[in-house]
Amino acid sequence: MRFLHCSDVHITANYFSLPLRKLGWRRWLALAELSVGGRSKAYARAPETLATIARDAEGLGADHFILSGDVTAYALEPEFQVVRESLGALAEDPRRCTIIPGNHDVFTPGSHRVGRFARHFGHLLESDLPEHRREGPFPFVRLVGEEAAVVGLLSARVPFVPGMAQGFIGPAQLDGLAALVKDPRLAGRALLVVVHHAPLTHHGRADRYFHGLRDAQALFQLLPGPRYAVLHGHIHQRYHHPATAERPHVFGAGSSTQAGREGYWLIEVKKGQVVGGQKHVPGGALH
């Protein structure tokens, strides 16, 4: 079985054409990142790149498409709309597609309060085992074929101020995940657990406090060995830490649409185990 994993596509509206009053002070601060920081230029072609990745999922025979958050730049309604358009029919089908929110998708209290992410992708948060939900729709489970299941977790929280981008899963969701791991209906299946924040950096260490996943070790304790993989984004580098007896595989998808760093993982599952993955660039080529 094959799973296409991408992340941090950051579809970006034309912020400089929008009224400042409607953007709000948090996005005012982000304008420096878009202009001086070069983010707007880096993601100018993100919609086209995301559409290419969606086509690759079909061409490469992926059994399931996974996007681990930060679908938008700063959680504007037009950005969510373009993501849906770029993914096309793929985003209509929970059997084929899993998308979770990242911190950029809940960038403002208002975007979270009105449920902007759920308005466009809430149908992809449905669960095949809903009795294990603990925090809204999380954790949710998608059974894929006979050998695998995808589990979605929420780590993205509305920041107090921009720049504080840490995440946490929380004890309620971890309790639900613990129950899932023991559920006999998942016996013999590989579990691909999707969370936005990175449990490890590309160096194999915990991320810095105001950027990392705070309860990464609690997550790892529930998922020891090669039956499990954690798929994440947030860090804009693409890497894989193989599983050990104490922790799962860790796949960081990087930023899949960033100019000069485009790419994603094609992760393989055989006989209920995660056996590895290959890096691809949009258009189907191997790195």
Side-chain angles (χ1 to χ4, degrees):
M1 301 190 71
R2 291 176 164 185
F3 295 79
L4 192 153
H5 173 215
C6 62
S7 197
D8 292 65
V9 298
H10 289 298
I11 301 299
T12 306
N14 183 358
Y15 280 75
F16 300 99
S17 69
L18 300 172
L20 283 176
R21 179 180 58 82
K22 291 187 177 181
L23 291 179
W25 69 269
R26 292 170 184 258
R27 296 192 185 96
W28 296 348
L29 297 178
L31 292 177
E33 185 178 41
L34 285 169
S35 54
V36 178
R39 183 180 284 267
S40 183
K41 182 178 180 181
Y43 292 98
R45 291 192 54 79
E48 295 84 355
T49 304
L50 180 57
T52 299
I53 295 172
R55 289 193 295 271
D56 285 357
E58 299 285 351
L60 293 168
D63 295 278
H64 203 80
F65 175 95
I66 297 169
L67 203 172
S68 54
D70 278 2
V71 301
T72 67
Y74 300 110
L76 281 181
E77 178 69 19
E79 294 172 338
F80 285 104
Q81 291 172 350
V82 173
V83 177
R84 283 294 297 267
E85 292 167 5
S86 297
L87 290 173
L90 188 63
E92 303 297 327
D93 188 357
R95 299 291 98 198
R96 302 169 57 209
C97 182
T98 292
I99 303 175
I100 62 166
N103 57 296
H104 279 256
D105 306 320
V106 292
F107 191 75
T108 64
S111 63
H112 177 65
R113 185 171 56 252
V114 301
R116 198 163 285 158
F117 178 90
R119 183 184 305 161
H120 293 276
F121 301 109
H123 61 291
L124 299 179
L125 307 181
E126 298 171 1
S127 182
D128 292 328
L129 303 176
E131 62 270 31
H132 295 305
R133 290 171 170 171
R134 297 293 189 275
E135 183 180 348
F138 300 96
F140 64 85
V141 185
R142 188 87 63 248
L143 303 178
V144 184
E146 299 296 326
E147 295 185 29
V150 176
V151 178
L153 297 173
L154 175 68
S155 65
R157 313 291 174 169
V158 179
F160 292 114
V161 294
M164 296 181 66
Q166 72 271 37
F168 63 90
I169 300 163
Q173 288 185 69
L174 290 170
D175 176 73
L177 180 61
L180 275 169
V181 169
K182 297 174 183 177
D183 193 311
R185 291 169 291 182
L186 295 180
R189 291 178 181 264
L191 265 61
L192 285 74
V193 178
V194 188
V195 65
H196 178 64
H197 288 77
L200 294 174
T201 68
H202 66 291
H203 293 300
R205 299 192 293 265
D207 199 359
R208 61 189 187 275
Y209 183 79
F210 287 115
H211 195 260
L213 181 65
R214 290 187 178 179
D215 40 11
Q217 288 306 310
L219 176 64
F220 281 169
Q221 288 174 8
L222 297 174
L223 308 171
R227 178 190 170 199
Y228 307 102
V230 172
L231 282 54
H232 70 85
H234 199 52
I235 294 177
H236 289 188
Q237 292 169 298
R238 199 162 295 114
Y239 53 91
H240 170 218
H241 297 301
T244 68
E246 290 78 32
R247 63 163 175 75
H249 291 276
V250 176
F251 289 93
S255 181
S256 293
T257 61
Q258 185 177 357
R261 295 186 177 185
E262 300 93 336
Y264 56 86
W265 283 104
L266 198 64
I267 298 169
E268 287 193 53
V269 169
K270 290 183 180 179
K271 297 181 180 179
Q273 302 277 306
V274 179
V275 297
Q278 292 180 316
K279 296 179 184 178
H280 286 251
V281 296
L286 288 168
H287 272 283

